[in-house]
């Protein structure tokens, strides 16, 4: 399996870490671009092996999954 594919897969632990971090760092209405990026960097720091872009992408997917239930 290609290394990039492995790096993009999410484990159940990482998903749990993301869910927990999203509760710790809720979105703030009216936040500036730099504040929003700082939030996602804080979230990523709580998720083992993922960066802020990966966390943002996964969070959007999680929201869609929950809406489709």
């Amino acid at each position: 399996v290609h290394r990039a594919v492995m790096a993009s897969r999410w484990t159940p632990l990482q998903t749990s870490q993301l869910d927990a971090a999203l509760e710790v760092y809720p979105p703030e209405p009216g936040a500036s671009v730099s504040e929003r990026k700082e939030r996602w960097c804080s979230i990523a720091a709580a998720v083992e092996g993922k960066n802020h872009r990966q966390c943002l992408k996964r969070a959007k997917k999680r929201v869609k999954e929950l809406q489709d239930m």
Side-chain angles (χ1 to χ4, degrees), residues 30-61:
S32 69
V33 172
S34 63
E35 290 169 330
R36 289 193 305 265
K37 183 175 180 181
E38 183 177 326
R39 172 182 177 244
W40 284 105
C41 288
S42 296
I43 290 168
V47 180
E48 188 177 312
K50 299 296 180 181
N51 65 38
H52 71 280
R53 288 185 187 99
Q54 291 168 315
C55 289
L56 175 58
K57 184 177 178 180
R58 179 67 174 174
K60 287 180 179 180
K61 183 178 178 183

Side-chain angles (χ1 to χ4, degrees), residues 1-11 14 49-50 54:
V1 178
H2 191 270
R3 185 177 177 175
V5 171
M6 287 298 292
S8 67
R9 290 196 179 140
W10 283 75
T11 66
Q14 289 170 320
K50 299 296 180 181
Q54 291 168 315

